[in-house]
Amino acid sequence: AQKVTQAQTEISVVEKEDVTLDCVYETRDTTYYLFWYKQPPSGELVFLIRRNSFDEQNEISGRYSWNFQKSTSSFNFTITASQVVDSAVYFCALSEEGYSTLTFGKGTMLLVSP
Amino acid sequence: NAGVTQTPKFQVLKTGQSMTLQCAQDMNHEYMSWYRQDPGMGLRLIHYSVGAGITDQGEVPNGYNVSRSTTEDFPLRLLSAAPSQTSVYFCASSYGTDNSPLHFGNGTRLTVT
C-alpha cells in the first residue's frame, strides 16, 4: 500500500524567510511518480511539479525548488524568500506507474506574514 | 478551454436526501476521478474511471455511486445523504495511463444537516 506523510501540519514564517515542506512516502513499486499541489485560500488545486522515481535531479523553478532523495524516500519542497502569496496548503502526492490515481498526504498549511 | 467544470459550487442537503454532483471536462481526458477533502485528512479518492463505461472504487466509496456514459462526464451520486458526507468534493481528470498531472475542478462544498 502507498502512503504519503507530511508531518508538518502548519508552518508560520515571516516574509522573505526560506521554508522547507517535508514529504516522506512509502511504496513497494520501483517506478512511481511524485507530485506537489498548492491549494491557495481560494480553494482550487494547482499542480506544481511531477517527478518520476528514476529522476533524482533536484529541480528549481524560480523561488521554488524540490529535493528528491530515494535513499530516504523523501521529496521535499523549499520556497526561497517566501512571500505572502505563498500562503496556502501544500499537498504531496504519489502514484504508481501507469495510473493517474493519486495518494495524497494530509497537507501542510503555510502561513507567510508580512 | 473550460477545463474541469463542477456544479454546483455549494449545496446544502438534509439527511436522507439524494443528489448528483456534476463533473464535465472538455480536454478529451480518459481518466476521471472524485476526491473528498476533509479538514486534516487531505484528499481521499472516492471513485475513478479510466474510460467510458469503466469505473472503480477508491479509498472511501461507501455511500456514493458513479457512472461514465461519455468521456466528458463523470457524475457522483449520493443516494441517501448523511452528515458524514459533509465535505468538499473535487473532480479531477487527466490523459490516463501516463501519470500525467491531474486537472482539478474548483470543488463543490456540500453540507448535510
mmCIF file of all heavy atoms in Angstrom, chain A residues 15-38:
data_model
loop_
_atom_site.group_PDB
_atom_site.id
_atom_site.type_symbol
_atom_site.label_atom_id
_atom_site.label_comp_id
_atom_site.label_asym_id
_atom_site.label_seq_id
_atom_site.Cartn_x
_atom_site.Cartn_y
_atom_site.Cartn_z
ATOM 1 N N GLU A 15 7.678 36.935 5.961
ATOM 2 C CA GLU A 15 8.062 37.174 4.570
ATOM 3 C C GLU A 15 9.581 37.264 4.421
ATOM 4 O O GLU A 15 10.276 37.830 5.278
ATOM 5 C CB GLU A 15 7.421 38.472 4.082
ATOM 6 C CG GLU A 15 7.093 38.483 2.614
ATOM 7 C CD GLU A 15 6.227 39.666 2.210
ATOM 8 O OE1 GLU A 15 6.135 40.628 3.001
ATOM 9 O OE2 GLU A 15 5.650 39.602 1.123
ATOM 10 N N LYS A 16 10.072 36.694 3.328
ATOM 11 C CA LYS A 16 11.483 36.647 2.944
ATOM 12 C C LYS A 16 12.247 35.511 3.598
ATOM 13 O O LYS A 16 13.417 35.276 3.230
ATOM 14 C CB LYS A 16 12.190 37.981 3.193
ATOM 15 C CG LYS A 16 11.623 39.130 2.379
ATOM 16 C CD LYS A 16 12.409 40.415 2.560
ATOM 17 C CE LYS A 16 11.759 41.559 1.782
ATOM 18 N NZ LYS A 16 12.487 42.850 1.976
ATOM 19 N N GLU A 17 11.647 34.842 4.544
ATOM 20 C CA GLU A 17 12.298 33.648 5.096
ATOM 21 C C GLU A 17 12.223 32.506 4.095
ATOM 22 O O GLU A 17 11.296 32.422 3.286
ATOM 23 C CB GLU A 17 11.626 33.208 6.399
ATOM 24 C CG GLU A 17 11.905 34.070 7.598
ATOM 25 C CD GLU A 17 11.308 33.479 8.862
ATOM 26 O OE1 GLU A 17 11.009 32.268 8.884
ATOM 27 O OE2 GLU A 17 11.109 34.223 9.829
ATOM 28 N N ASP A 18 13.192 31.603 4.164
ATOM 29 C CA ASP A 18 13.133 30.356 3.400
ATOM 30 C C ASP A 18 12.372 29.320 4.222
ATOM 31 O O ASP A 18 12.458 29.303 5.459
ATOM 32 C CB ASP A 18 14.531 29.835 3.094
ATOM 33 C CG ASP A 18 15.358 30.794 2.262
ATOM 34 O OD1 ASP A 18 14.775 31.743 1.683
ATOM 35 O OD2 ASP A 18 16.587 30.590 2.184
ATOM 36 N N VAL A 19 11.645 28.454 3.540
ATOM 37 C CA VAL A 19 10.872 27.443 4.256
ATOM 38 C C VAL A 19 10.897 26.139 3.469
ATOM 39 O O VAL A 19 10.831 26.153 2.235
ATOM 40 C CB VAL A 19 9.423 27.920 4.499
ATOM 41 C CG1 VAL A 19 8.712 28.255 3.195
ATOM 42 C CG2 VAL A 19 8.630 26.911 5.310
ATOM 43 N N THR A 20 11.024 25.033 4.181
ATOM 44 C CA THR A 20 11.014 23.717 3.558
ATOM 45 C C THR A 20 9.846 22.905 4.063
ATOM 46 O O THR A 20 9.648 22.773 5.278
ATOM 47 C CB THR A 20 12.328 22.963 3.836
ATOM 48 O OG1 THR A 20 13.414 23.673 3.235
ATOM 49 C CG2 THR A 20 12.280 21.554 3.267
ATOM 50 N N LEU A 21 9.112 22.352 3.131
ATOM 51 C CA LEU A 21 7.976 21.486 3.438
ATOM 52 C C LEU A 21 8.405 20.037 3.203
ATOM 53 O O LEU A 21 8.891 19.703 2.119
ATOM 54 C CB LEU A 21 6.774 21.829 2.558
ATOM 55 C CG LEU A 21 5.968 23.086 2.912
ATOM 56 C CD1 LEU A 21 6.810 24.345 2.835
ATOM 57 C CD2 LEU A 21 4.751 23.195 1.997
ATOM 58 N N ASP A 22 8.211 19.219 4.206
ATOM 59 C CA ASP A 22 8.697 17.843 4.129
ATOM 60 C C ASP A 22 7.639 16.898 3.584
ATOM 61 O O ASP A 22 6.441 17.047 3.844
ATOM 62 C CB ASP A 22 9.122 17.354 5.520
ATOM 63 C CG ASP A 22 10.275 18.167 6.090
ATOM 64 O OD1 ASP A 22 11.073 18.700 5.285
ATOM 65 O OD2 ASP A 22 10.380 18.251 7.329
ATOM 66 N N CYS A 23 8.104 15.905 2.854
ATOM 67 C CA CYS A 23 7.224 14.859 2.334
ATOM 68 C C CYS A 23 7.985 13.534 2.358
ATOM 69 O O CYS A 23 9.068 13.436 1.784
ATOM 70 C CB CYS A 23 6.778 15.182 0.912
ATOM 71 S SG CYS A 23 5.853 13.864 0.102
ATOM 72 N N VAL A 24 7.426 12.558 3.021
ATOM 73 C CA VAL A 24 8.004 11.218 3.074
ATOM 74 C C VAL A 24 6.972 10.252 2.516
ATOM 75 O O VAL A 24 5.791 10.347 2.840
ATOM 76 C CB VAL A 24 8.378 10.836 4.512
ATOM 77 C CG1 VAL A 24 8.853 9.391 4.572
ATOM 78 C CG2 VAL A 24 9.465 11.761 5.045
ATOM 79 N N TYR A 25 7.417 9.343 1.683
ATOM 80 C CA TYR A 25 6.464 8.434 1.044
ATOM 81 C C TYR A 25 6.851 6.984 1.255
ATOM 82 O O TYR A 25 7.999 6.682 1.574
ATOM 83 C CB TYR A 25 6.373 8.748 -0.459
ATOM 84 C CG TYR A 25 7.673 8.553 -1.191
ATOM 85 C CD1 TYR A 25 8.006 7.334 -1.776
ATOM 86 C CD2 TYR A 25 8.598 9.596 -1.284
ATOM 87 C CE1 TYR A 25 9.207 7.149 -2.427
ATOM 88 C CE2 TYR A 25 9.803 9.422 -1.927
ATOM 89 C CZ TYR A 25 10.108 8.205 -2.503
ATOM 90 O OH TYR A 25 11.304 8.036 -3.132
ATOM 91 N N GLU A 26 5.880 6.112 1.071
ATOM 92 C CA GLU A 26 6.088 4.669 1.143
ATOM 93 C C GLU A 26 5.446 4.021 -0.074
ATOM 94 O O GLU A 26 4.289 4.299 -0.379
ATOM 95 C CB GLU A 26 5.469 4.079 2.413
ATOM 96 C CG GLU A 26 6.045 4.580 3.714
ATOM 97 C CD GLU A 26 5.305 4.028 4.909
ATOM 98 O OE1 GLU A 26 4.708 2.931 4.801
ATOM 99 O OE2 GLU A 26 5.290 4.701 5.969
ATOM 100 N N THR A 27 6.181 3.161 -0.728
ATOM 101 C CA THR A 27 5.641 2.393 -1.848
ATOM 102 C C THR A 27 6.502 1.172 -2.075
ATOM 103 O O THR A 27 7.697 1.197 -1.803
ATOM 104 C CB THR A 27 5.571 3.238 -3.130
ATOM 105 O OG1 THR A 27 5.047 2.442 -4.191
ATOM 106 C CG2 THR A 27 6.922 3.783 -3.528
ATOM 107 N N ARG A 28 5.898 0.113 -2.600
ATOM 108 C CA ARG A 28 6.654 -1.090 -2.928
ATOM 109 C C ARG A 28 7.081 -1.081 -4.392
ATOM 110 O O ARG A 28 7.849 -1.947 -4.811
ATOM 111 C CB ARG A 28 5.798 -2.328 -2.664
ATOM 112 C CG ARG A 28 5.429 -2.520 -1.213
ATOM 113 C CD ARG A 28 4.532 -3.722 -1.015
ATOM 114 N NE ARG A 28 4.142 -3.882 0.387
ATOM 115 C CZ ARG A 28 3.284 -4.788 0.828
ATOM 116 N NH1 ARG A 28 2.725 -5.630 -0.026
ATOM 117 N NH2 ARG A 28 2.973 -4.862 2.107
ATOM 118 N N ASP A 29 6.583 -0.114 -5.135
ATOM 119 C CA ASP A 29 6.889 -0.063 -6.551
ATOM 120 C C ASP A 29 8.281 0.506 -6.790
ATOM 121 O O ASP A 29 8.749 1.362 -6.028
ATOM 122 C CB ASP A 29 5.861 0.800 -7.285
ATOM 123 C CG ASP A 29 4.463 0.237 -7.161
ATOM 124 O OD1 ASP A 29 4.311 -0.985 -7.265
ATOM 125 O OD2 ASP A 29 3.527 1.034 -6.952
ATOM 126 N N THR A 30 8.908 0.042 -7.866
ATOM 127 C CA THR A 30 10.207 0.606 -8.225
ATOM 128 C C THR A 30 10.038 1.815 -9.133
ATOM 129 O O THR A 30 10.918 2.665 -9.209
ATOM 130 C CB THR A 30 11.077 -0.442 -8.927
ATOM 131 O OG1 THR A 30 10.361 -0.963 -10.049
ATOM 132 C CG2 THR A 30 11.417 -1.579 -7.980
ATOM 133 N N THR A 31 8.895 1.863 -9.816
ATOM 134 C CA THR A 31 8.593 3.007 -10.672
ATOM 135 C C THR A 31 7.360 3.700 -10.116
ATOM 136 O O THR A 31 6.315 3.076 -9.964
ATOM 137 C CB THR A 31 8.348 2.587 -12.122
ATOM 138 O OG1 THR A 31 9.472 1.864 -12.605
ATOM 139 C CG2 THR A 31 8.107 3.812 -12.993
ATOM 140 N N TYR A 32 7.494 4.946 -9.836
ATOM 141 C CA TYR A 32 6.388 5.702 -9.271
ATOM 142 C C TYR A 32 6.610 7.183 -9.579
ATOM 143 O O TYR A 32 7.656 7.584 -10.087
ATOM 144 C CB TYR A 32 6.258 5.475 -7.760
ATOM 145 C CG TYR A 32 7.553 5.650 -6.998
ATOM 146 C CD1 TYR A 32 7.936 6.905 -6.506
ATOM 147 C CD2 TYR A 32 8.414 4.577 -6.789
ATOM 148 C CE1 TYR A 32 9.124 7.068 -5.824
ATOM 149 C CE2 TYR A 32 9.611 4.738 -6.106
ATOM 150 C CZ TYR A 32 9.960 5.979 -5.630
ATOM 151 O OH TYR A 32 11.148 6.136 -4.949
ATOM 152 N N TYR A 33 5.575 7.961 -9.287
ATOM 153 C CA TYR A 33 5.627 9.384 -9.577
ATOM 154 C C TYR A 33 5.232 10.169 -8.337
ATOM 155 O O TYR A 33 4.333 9.775 -7.598
ATOM 156 C CB TYR A 33 4.679 9.723 -10.732
ATOM 157 C CG TYR A 33 5.135 9.180 -12.056
ATOM 158 C CD1 TYR A 33 5.000 7.829 -12.362
ATOM 159 C CD2 TYR A 33 5.735 10.009 -12.998
ATOM 160 C CE1 TYR A 33 5.433 7.306 -13.565
ATOM 161 C CE2 TYR A 33 6.170 9.513 -14.218
ATOM 162 C CZ TYR A 33 6.013 8.167 -14.488
ATOM 163 O OH TYR A 33 6.453 7.666 -15.682
ATOM 164 N N LEU A 34 5.894 11.277 -8.146
ATOM 165 C CA LEU A 34 5.626 12.153 -7.016
ATOM 166 C C LEU A 34 5.180 13.514 -7.521
ATOM 167 O O LEU A 34 5.666 13.997 -8.543
ATOM 168 C CB LEU A 34 6.880 12.307 -6.150
ATOM 169 C CG LEU A 34 7.332 11.020 -5.461
ATOM 170 C CD1 LEU A 34 8.776 11.130 -5.015
ATOM 171 C CD2 LEU A 34 6.433 10.712 -4.271
ATOM 172 N N PHE A 35 4.264 14.116 -6.776
ATOM 173 C CA PHE A 35 3.671 15.386 -7.186
ATOM 174 C C PHE A 35 3.598 16.327 -5.988
ATOM 175 O O PHE A 35 3.519 15.892 -4.833
ATOM 176 C CB PHE A 35 2.229 15.180 -7.686
ATOM 177 C CG PHE A 35 2.079 14.265 -8.862
ATOM 178 C CD1 PHE A 35 2.142 12.887 -8.704
ATOM 179 C CD2 PHE A 35 1.855 14.781 -10.125
ATOM 180 C CE1 PHE A 35 1.992 12.029 -9.789
ATOM 181 C CE2 PHE A 35 1.692 13.936 -11.219
ATOM 182 C CZ PHE A 35 1.754 12.565 -11.048
ATOM 183 N N TRP A 36 3.582 17.607 -6.300
ATOM 184 C CA TRP A 36 3.206 18.628 -5.328
ATOM 185 C C TRP A 36 2.095 19.478 -5.934
ATOM 186 O O TRP A 36 2.159 19.849 -7.115
ATOM 187 C CB TRP A 36 4.380 19.538 -4.966
ATOM 188 C CG TRP A 36 5.283 18.982 -3.911
ATOM 189 C CD1 TRP A 36 6.420 18.257 -4.094
ATOM 190 C CD2 TRP A 36 5.127 19.112 -2.501
ATOM 191 N NE1 TRP A 36 6.976 17.926 -2.883
ATOM 192 C CE2 TRP A 36 6.201 18.437 -1.879
ATOM 193 C CE3 TRP A 36 4.180 19.747 -1.682
ATOM 194 C CZ2 TRP A 36 6.359 18.379 -0.493
ATOM 195 C CZ3 TRP A 36 4.332 19.691 -0.308
ATOM 196 C CH2 TRP A 36 5.414 19.008 0.278
ATOM 197 N N TYR A 37 1.080 19.757 -5.080
ATOM 198 C CA TYR A 37 -0.016 20.635 -5.452
ATOM 199 C C TYR A 37 -0.135 21.746 -4.413
ATOM 200 O O TYR A 37 0.147 21.538 -3.229
ATOM 201 C CB TYR A 37 -1.347 19.878 -5.510
ATOM 202 C CG TYR A 37 -1.547 19.048 -6.751
ATOM 203 C CD1 TYR A 37 -1.024 17.759 -6.839
ATOM 204 C CD2 TYR A 37 -2.260 19.551 -7.828
ATOM 205 C CE1 TYR A 37 -1.197 16.999 -7.979
ATOM 206 C CE2 TYR A 37 -2.456 18.786 -8.978
ATOM 207 C CZ TYR A 37 -1.920 17.521 -9.047
ATOM 208 O OH TYR A 37 -2.118 16.768 -10.187
ATOM 209 N N LYS A 38 -0.603 22.891 -4.876
ATOM 210 C CA LYS A 38 -0.833 24.040 -3.993
ATOM 211 C C LYS A 38 -2.329 24.330 -3.951
ATOM 212 O O LYS A 38 -3.010 24.312 -4.987
ATOM 213 C CB LYS A 38 -0.087 25.260 -4.536
ATOM 214 C CG LYS A 38 -0.365 26.569 -3.796
ATOM 215 C CD LYS A 38 0.387 27.720 -4.453
ATOM 216 C CE LYS A 38 0.124 29.033 -3.741
ATOM 217 N NZ LYS A 38 0.863 30.168 -4.396
#
